[in-house]
């Protein structure tokens, strides 16, 4: 019997309509377009507007598109894992809300929270359910409504983040395609540099925590940048080395879209030219768990069956990792 691997058989994405440009941010905080662009590569980001709109409202359109593209009936889905840092609520899991909304009545679901590395952690986890032979159709969602935890008076964070997400279908493959290897890392000593101070069980919401603006993302930019450059570059180089890949062998790097300089440093370490690097940070900013599936969605028509692809991310906590996969289908 041939070995079963977990292959991506479809990808979709969704971004809200509202565009928050650097020019608009200039009217909100002391910053300017040139400063933002030169340091991050971001020109604009999308924002989910409207009352009672959460991450599930980003994920559901993406999952519906995915079901349509892969000719999958909702009731055929076995499992849905949602990677998100901004769940609709503490409980139930956003994955459960998504499955209910799309009619995936036979699927169980749960959330994974690993900040910007969440999609990679969820993809690696989901692949094991497929490789075991137990499940045939598994959806992995990466989505975040970062605008819900961004302080738009803090110029160190509000210029970076946007809302958006995507989803992929994982199915069994016996051709040697799909996910080949993964390296996932975490180091909790980095928590002090990128976190949300209040809202959890340690510091539940009080009048004081709200007044002190502790329910927003906090980031110490220089420390995060230093760790991110080393973490993403190291793990990307490591996964190439242990799979005997050179820069010529890799068709695409799919990097987390946090900062253009971090992406460039990772590509250089891997020996990749800019033409092999997926990039959409200029349009969407950092959508946390959503960046990698959004890249796959936008570049899908350029991917070819058998392409060697490396996914890489770094996130708060700290979390980081890389996945090596072989693309399983040609453009339709």
């Amino acid at each position: 019997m041939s070995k079963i691997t977990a292959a991506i058989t479809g990808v979709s994405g969704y971004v809200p309509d509202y565009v928050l440009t650097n020019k608009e941010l200039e009217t909100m905080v002391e910053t300017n377009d040139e400063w933002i662009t030169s340091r991050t590569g971001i020109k604009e980001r999308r924002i989910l507007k409207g009352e009672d709109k959460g991450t599930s409202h980003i994920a559901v359109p993406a999952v519906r598109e995915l079901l349509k593209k892969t000719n999958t009936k909702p009731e055929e889905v076995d499992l849905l894992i949602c990677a998100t840092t901004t769940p609709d609520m503490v409980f139930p899991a956003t994955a459960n809300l998504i499955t209910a909304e799309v009619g995936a009545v036979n699927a169980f679901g749960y959330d994974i929270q690993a900040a910007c590395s969440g999609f990679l952690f969820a993809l690696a986890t989901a692949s094991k359910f497929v490789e075991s032979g137990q499940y045939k159709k598994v959806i992995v969602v990466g989505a975040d409504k970062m605008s819900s935890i961004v302080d738009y008076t803090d110029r160190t964070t509000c210029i970076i983040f946007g809302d958006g997400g995507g989803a992929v279908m994982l199915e069994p493959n016996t051709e040697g395609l799909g996910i080949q290897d993964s390296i996932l890392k975490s180091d909790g000593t980095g928590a002090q540099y990128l976190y949300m101070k209040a809202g959890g069980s340690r510091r539940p919401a009080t009048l004081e925590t709200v007044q002190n603006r502790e329910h927003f993302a906090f980031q110490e930019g220089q420390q995060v940048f230093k760790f991110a450059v080393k973490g993403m570059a190291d793990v990307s180089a490591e996964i190439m080395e242990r799979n005997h890949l050179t820069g010529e062998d890799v068709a695409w790097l799919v990097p987390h879209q946090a900062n253009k300089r971090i992406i460039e440093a990772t590509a250089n370490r891997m020996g990749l030219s800019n033409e092999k690097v997926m990039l959409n940070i200029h349009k969407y900013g950092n959508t946390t768990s959503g960046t990698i599936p959004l890249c796959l969605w936008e570049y899908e028509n350029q991917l070819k069956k058998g392409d060697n692809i490396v996914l890489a991310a770094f996130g708060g906590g700290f979390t980081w990792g890389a996945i090596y996969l072989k693309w399983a289908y040609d453009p339709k």
Side-chain angles (χ1 to χ4, degrees):
M1 181 177 177
S2 301
K3 179 185 175 183
I4 296 174
T5 55
I8 293 175
T9 58
V11 59
S12 64
Y14 176 81
V15 290
D17 294 332
Y18 188 88
V19 179
L20 176 60
T21 64
N22 290 347
K23 286 295 183 183
E24 185 175 351
L25 279 174
E26 290 179 8
T27 68
M28 301 163 67
V29 291
E30 187 179 344
T31 191
N32 61 72
D33 175 65
E34 191 279 330
W35 191 91
I36 297 171
T37 304
S38 63
R39 284 162 178 79
T40 67
I42 301 169
K43 299 293 290 186
E44 57 191 40
R45 65 289 292 149
R46 301 298 183 96
I47 304 296
L48 182 64
K49 297 282 191 176
E51 290 187 14
D52 298 321
K53 297 286 187 180
T55 295
S56 68
H57 295 88
I58 295 169
V60 166
V63 172
R64 282 180 174 152
E65 180 194 349
L66 180 67
L67 293 172
K68 183 178 179 181
K69 286 175 67 174
T70 57
N71 295 312
T72 302
K73 296 177 182 177
E75 57 270 22
E76 293 177 327
V77 179
D78 299 306
L79 165 64
L80 187 146
I81 302 176
C82 178
T84 186
T85 302
T86 54
D88 284 35
M89 52 194 83
V90 174
F91 68 91
T94 303
N96 294 1
L97 302 178
I98 298 167
T99 55
E101 191 67 26
V102 302
V105 294
N106 294 315
F108 75 100
Y110 58 89
D111 293 354
I112 283 183
Q113 207 286 71
C116 298
S117 305
F119 182 78
L120 289 193
F121 283 31
L123 189 64
T125 303
S127 70
K128 304 307 177 186
F129 285 99
V130 175
E131 290 168 9
S132 73
Q134 187 172 5
Y135 298 115
K136 305 297 185 187
K137 292 181 181 290
V138 177
I139 292 177
V140 181
V141 177
D144 272 296
K145 183 188 176 183
M146 290 304 294
S147 62
S148 66
I149 59 169
V150 166
D151 182 355
Y152 285 95
T153 67
D154 176 12
R155 68 174 183 173
T156 65
T157 55
C158 72
I159 65 169
I160 298 170
F161 295 102
D163 302 339
V168 300
M169 180 73 75
L170 280 184
E171 295 185 82
N173 184 279
T174 56
E175 300 178 79
L177 303 172
I179 295 173
Q180 306 294 308
D181 194 10
S182 64
I183 303 173
L184 306 175
K185 305 275 189 177
S186 63
D187 180 1
T189 62
Q192 61 186 308
Y193 302 119
L194 180 53
Y195 69 113
M196 193 167 78
K197 296 180 180 180
S201 60
R202 185 180 295 190
R203 286 183 64 79
T206 65
L207 180 60
E208 180 184 10
T209 64
V210 173
Q211 289 177 337
N212 291 340
R213 309 183 75 79
E214 295 179 11
H215 296 268
F216 296 116
F218 167 82
Q219 174 172 287
E220 194 171 314
Q222 287 188 336
Q223 289 290 340
V224 173
F225 181 84
K226 182 175 69 174
F227 278 96
V229 167
K230 186 177 188 307
M232 267 182 65
D234 282 356
V235 79
S236 300
E238 182 182 351
I239 206 165
M240 287 177 65
E241 182 178 350
R242 80 183 199 183
N243 287 281
H244 311 292
L245 298 171
T246 67
E248 291 183 359
D249 299 322
V250 177
W252 292 98
L253 167 65
V254 191
H256 170 55
Q257 309 284 303
N259 182 294
K260 192 175 180 182
R261 290 182 293 170
I262 297 173
I263 294 170
E264 290 171 348
T266 302
N268 288 338
R269 179 73 177 278
M270 297 171 67
L272 299 182
S273 63
N274 292 336
E275 291 73 28
K276 291 186 171 185
V277 180
M278 294 189 188
L279 197 68
N280 61 15
I281 189 174
H282 54 293
K283 295 192 293 184
Y284 305 135
N286 182 350
T287 57
T288 306
S289 300
T291 65
I292 289 176
L294 278 175
C295 278
L296 291 173
W297 173 55
E298 290 210 311
Y299 282 79
E300 183 185 19
N301 288 337
Q302 299 182 52
L303 305 180
K304 297 179 178 63
K305 186 175 181 178
D307 277 353
N308 290 317
I309 298 175
V310 175
L311 319 179
F314 184 94
F318 287 133
T319 61
W320 66 103
I323 289 178
Y324 161 45
L325 62 85
K326 286 183 176 291
W327 197 248
Y329 61 95
D330 287 317
K332 293 180 173 64

